[in-house]
Amino acid sequence: MYCANCGVKLGDAETVCPLCATPVYHPALPRPAGEPLYPRGHYPPQPERSLAAQIVVTALFLLPCLITLVCNWQISGRITWSGYVVGGLLVVYLGSVLPFWFSRPDSLIFVPLWFTGVGLFLKYIEHSVSGQWFMPFALPVTAVLGLFLTALLALLRRFPKRKLLIFGGAFAALGVFLTLLEWLIYEVFQRHRFLGWSFYPLIVLILFGLTLVFLSLNRNARDAMYRKFFL
Amino acid sequence: MTLHDESMSRRPAPRWLPLDNAAKIYPAARSKNWSNIFRLSATLTEPVDRAVLQSALDATVGRFPSICARLRRGFFWYYLEQVEQAPRIREEYSYPLVKMYPWEVRRCAFRVIVYRDRIALEFFHALTDGNGALIFLKTLLAEYLHRKYGIAVPAEQGVLDRTEPPSPGELEDSFQKYAGPRSASRRADDAYRITGTLETGGFQHITCLELPVDQVLRKAREYGVSLTAFLCAATMMAIQDIQQIRVPNRRRQRPVKVLLPVDLRRLFPSTSVRNFVLFTTPQIDPRLGAYTFREICDAVRHHMGLEVQPKYMGAMIAANVAGERILALRAVPLFLKNLVMKAVFHQVGERKSSLSLSNLGAVTMPAAMTPYVKRLDFILGVQATAPYNCGVITWGDTLYMNVIRNIREPELEYHLCRVLKDLGLTPLVRSN
Ligand SMILES: [Zn+2]
């Protein structure tokens, strides 16, 4: 039989045309029965995802947590220094192991999650040492860094072809962030004088960022750079 | 390469061989979801007798210590170790070229699969290339037909004598022997690659185009090219059309390149049954304008004329074996080599072509065997990062072109058939 749409000659076992998906049918002609080249409708089993590595690594994380907690409890009768150890390990675990429990971890979920974890850990430390630095300093810094990184990832995903532009903007923003960071340190911790160390990276980062932006907008310049620096 | 065989001790140590030069990339390039495999199958006129085939296989494996082997890790390199026992014959129950997992390659790196009247062999590419596999298939078929029907098959036309021990020439790494005095440059541009929706569950579509070979040959002569060049040009024409639809802006298009394996046994006097194949990559650049079919044929013909000859191929071999001859590189531990080779493979190796089109040519067998063989199929596994590949083989008066893909859309097949139809060739299409 021939395909009514694209006109190729079809094997007898074809029920739809493999090329254009047109059903093979003619009201006046009975369709001859044919054997397909390969058995149809059976898929080989896909192997289960092995979670052994994740379980072992999790156990390796749990072990020091338990040991420090027990030691701390035995010695002081309450949780003091072991809280920092456990909190720190949890933060590391959150960033490095937890995503691997999922078959397709989404960085847009795990990056903000990790920064939230870091924020909570810092809040815990502040609470334990009765400090006054979380609200005015640690929270804004972690929040801005977290938002910055999440936005960067989201932009890279949304506009995969505009990497140069996005990174250019990111470098410039990083420079501004460092300056703001220095100003915040000065304000919050009442340093004696404003040093201005952050202006050096600010200038470098902004210049570098603007260069990337320029290259992303100017195709000829980009080609010229590639010609000079290809590996 | 010499075969390491200890016949002095009570229990002989397993025979083993280092991988040949082309094979070295394949274990390193493997990933969780992909390994480089291919299939060669023969359909007989009667249903296959499994017991007889198993006994024929048991008798044949000893003759091919480099093919009936498994892949093992050394500290510095992978190596092949002969399997003591032939693998069990399997039933075909699904699509061809189901993924070969690392643990399977460690036990035995090839499969024997039976479906009704068809005997199929699937090989991990590190064992051998299409032509080496064809010799193995013919020899196995000869043994099977001999045991089943009692016919006497002479050891000729690619059938090896099962009672003889393997000759050193069959086991040599011919790349080492035929490397030219100078190395060729390997710089190339990235090629256009077809994309699509990945099939779920690892399913792979096979679309087999069957064409009368005399008609194809007549057409190829009309355009002044060989049959391989003709099919290559038709495929390039189809890819050019697809790219024109997908990327209408010519300035943003990429070169269309088809990787044509070159059987080096035709250029050098090698009898190796291991890998001895290199590639030539005819290309057109649609950024310069749309090519007519005749222009593509000329581009392919001239490209092949330039590259498919012993001097140039010798230089290509030299470039490939150069790294292997540096002691400092050889002494790098295997896992580091793997990291580097994987990176190189994905950055350089595959991107340089749109797909490969491997033509094993017209197969001949001893006259006693031919009445029993109905058809042959040659299927390449898909590429690691691109959805298509294409294997061609000719048996009798029919040319079988097996197009494999792991995406839903049969775009290339559709356009290829249209190109062939415009040329006045109507393929018979079958699918799985
Ligand atoms: Zn159709």
Side-chain angles (χ1 to χ4, degrees), chain A residues 2 5-11 14 18-20 35-40 42-47 219 226 230, chain B residues 39 92-96 98 101 115-116 118 200-201 203 375 379 410 413-414 417 421 427-432:
Chain A
Y2 288 83
N5 178 38
C6 69
V8 291
K9 198 172 176 184
L10 296 170
E14 306 301 325
L19 305 183
C20 65
E35 287 293 347
L37 280 181
Y38 301 93
R40 283 181 175 157
H42 295 279
Y43 281 29
Q46 296 289 304
R219 192 193 162 92
Y226 182 73
F230 75 89
Chain B
R39 162 195 276 238
E92 183 121 68
Y93 69 105
S94 188
Y95 55 85
V98 170
Y101 288 98
Y115 180 64
R116 300 170 197 271
R118 179 176 64 211
T200 48
F203 186 76
R375 67 180 275 165
I379 310 179
E413 294 91 325
Y414 181 83
C417 282
K421 208 140 48 65
L428 170 66
V429 178
R430 293 159 179 265
S431 71
N432 66 330

Side-chain angles (χ1 to χ4, degrees), chain B residues 189-402:
Chain B
D189 285 337
D190 288 358
Y192 173 69
R193 324 210 58 182
I194 300 167
T195 53
T197 328
L198 209 63
E199 270 292 351
T200 48
F203 186 76
Q204 303 185 114
H205 293 273
I206 305 290
T207 310
C208 181
L209 315 182
E210 301 177 21
L211 290 156
V213 73
D214 52 337
Q215 282 183 29
V216 185
L217 267 176
R218 206 176 312 134
K219 267 287 160 221
R221 299 239 171 80
E222 206 176 285
Y223 285 92
V225 291
S226 69
L227 192 135
T228 307
F230 178 78
L231 293 176
C232 173
T235 313
M236 286 166 92
M237 186 88 190
I239 299 173
Q240 176 181 251
D241 294 349
I242 293 171
Q243 187 170 213
Q244 185 58 42
I245 295 167
R246 293 274 198 95
V247 190
N249 182 352
R250 280 211 178 273
R251 281 211 337 225
R252 292 181 168 274
Q253 291 187 352
R254 294 197 150 278
V256 171
K257 304 184 183 187
V258 170
L259 192 97
L260 289 180
V262 177
D263 180 17
L264 296 175
R265 295 171 190 84
R266 295 183 187 190
L267 302 180
F268 301 99
S270 162
T271 54
S272 179
V273 295
R274 309 180 65 195
N275 280 292
F276 195 39
V277 67
L278 267 183
F279 307 98
T280 183
T281 321
Q283 56 174 304
I284 56 169
D285 193 340
R287 285 172 292 199
L288 312 179
Y291 281 62
T292 64
F293 187 71
R294 189 169 288 280
E295 282 172 341
I296 300 181
C297 280
D298 287 344
V300 174
R301 181 163 57 92
H302 287 119
H303 187 94
M304 289 176 75
L306 181 69
E307 291 197 345
V308 184
Q309 54 110 297
K311 286 192 182 60
Y312 187 81
M313 282 294 149
M316 293 278 282
I317 298 174
N320 289 341
V321 299
E324 211 184 295
R325 291 188 170 166
I326 301 168
L327 186 65
L329 289 184
R330 288 212 300 264
V332 173
L334 182 60
F335 72 96
L336 285 178
K337 279 201 197 94
N338 276 349
L339 286 178
V340 175
M341 287 169 84
K342 206 189 235 343
V344 169
F345 179 77
H346 287 291
Q347 279 303 310
V348 182
E350 276 210 331
R351 286 203 197 179
K352 304 302 175 199
S353 67
S354 310
L355 59 79
S356 12
L357 179 98
S358 183
N359 184 6
L360 281 188
V363 178
T364 56
M365 287 189 201
M369 291 168 72
T370 43
Y372 295 92
V373 181
K374 203 161 66 184
R375 67 180 275 165
L376 296 175
D377 283 281
F378 176 47
I379 310 179
L380 296 178
V382 294
Q383 302 183 65
T385 49
Y388 273 106
N389 255 342
C390 190
V392 183
I393 197 166
T394 302
W395 173 245
D397 48 13
T398 313
L399 179 147
Y400 301 94
M401 185 169 184
N402 275 289

Side-chain angles (χ1 to χ4, degrees), chain A residues 70-87:
Chain A
V70 168
C71 289
N72 192 205
W73 191 265
Q74 290 279 325
I75 296 165
S76 354
R78 61 200 179 85
I79 290 166
T80 51
W81 52 270
S82 62
Y84 308 132
V85 177
V86 173

